[in-house]
Amino acid sequence: MESPLSVVVADQSATRADLLNFLADVDGITVVAEAATGHDAVYRTLLHQPHVLVVEPRIPGFDETTMIRHIIRSAPRVAVLVRTATEDDASVCRAIRAGALGYIRKAAAPDAVVRAIRCVAAGDAILGPTVAARLAELLTGKRELPSLTAREHEVLDLAATGLPPSAIARRLDLSTKTVRNHVSAIVGKLDVAGRAEAIALARQAGLGRPVRRAATA
């Protein structure tokens, strides 16, 4: 008889109890520990070396990228399944870049969670349907930028044409400092490393069409 899959559940929300109660009745899966903070999640995971860590990405104590990378580095045999209430692009990218194998919504049916646990334990990647669709958009370059304000979108569009902040400021009748502030806000909202990566993302989304020069007589 095969040994049951061992699982550590790390979540600060009330849904942790619901998940634990459900998994207690699932054959072939054993919850060996639970945690309510990032530090405790890392400690319990390294202590028990479970097959799967089911983790809520915004758990206190560690940001999701740091926590997942630390676990993958220290316990490479542990598969990480991110379970969250949201499916925003930034969280998807952070979790996948950090090494998570699965990403599923808390609203998913219990049997879907069980399938996800077994899937990542086997070394396969699994994403919810909405996440999978958004990830496909990211990989094909078809991405919208809905989190930006109209002004930020305008600044990013001009930056993607290759204009420096000073030129953008002149075109929009703003100060260069204001433009730089907008760029900083854009970088934060898009969860990218800097201006260059934001511009690359903007071009993938179809922004940055070449600026037409006025014809000379």
Side-chain angles (χ1 to χ4, degrees), residues 8-216:
V8 169
V9 175
D11 194 325
Q12 65 166 331
S13 70
T15 61
R16 183 172 87 242
D18 296 334
L19 179 60
L20 291 171
N21 290 335
F22 171 74
L23 292 178
D25 296 326
V26 176
D27 291 334
I29 293 179
T30 299
V31 176
V32 295
E34 59 181 288
T37 69
H39 291 287
D40 200 27
V42 172
Y43 171 75
R44 302 284 180 184
T45 300
L46 298 185
L47 176 66
H48 293 281
Q49 298 286 317
H51 293 95
V52 179
L53 167 65
V54 180
V55 62
E56 206 283 329
R58 302 188 188 281
I59 194 169
F62 269 149
D63 68 87
E64 64 199 65
T65 301
T66 301
M67 182 172 63
I68 293 173
R69 283 179 177 165
H70 181 66
I71 289 172
I72 296 298
R73 192 166 53 243
S74 303
R77 294 185 180 179
V78 176
V80 178
L81 174 64
V82 176
R83 181 173 172 264
T84 181
T86 63
E87 290 185 331
D88 60 284
D89 291 342
S91 290
V92 172
C93 290
R94 282 195 296 266
I96 293 175
R97 287 173 181 169
L101 274 181
Y103 197 100
I104 192 168
R105 292 199 67 183
K106 288 185 177 181
D111 59 338
V113 178
V114 172
R115 286 197 300 272
I117 290 173
R118 288 175 172 156
C119 181
V120 298
D124 297 323
I126 184 168
L127 301 173
T130 303
V131 171
R134 290 184 181 179
L135 183 59
E137 290 176 355
L138 290 173
L139 293 176
T140 58
K142 298 176 181 178
R143 180 179 180 178
E144 296 180 354
L145 306 171
S147 64
L148 303 184
T149 65
R151 177 63 84 185
E152 289 166 350
H153 195 281
E154 196 172 15
V155 169
L156 183 58
D157 189 17
L158 290 172
T161 67
L163 292 178
S166 57
I168 295 173
R170 288 193 298 272
R171 184 174 290 272
L172 298 180
D173 195 23
L174 300 171
S175 70
T176 300
K177 180 179 179 181
T178 297
V179 170
R180 293 187 188 280
N181 288 339
H182 281 310
V183 171
S184 295
I186 291 166
V187 167
K189 287 184 177 182
L190 297 184
D191 190 39
V192 292
R195 181 174 179 273
E197 191 172 342
I199 288 173
L201 200 59
R203 288 172 177 167
Q204 288 179 358
L207 301 184
R209 291 180 297 277
V211 177
R212 291 185 178 179
R213 298 178 182 274
T216 57

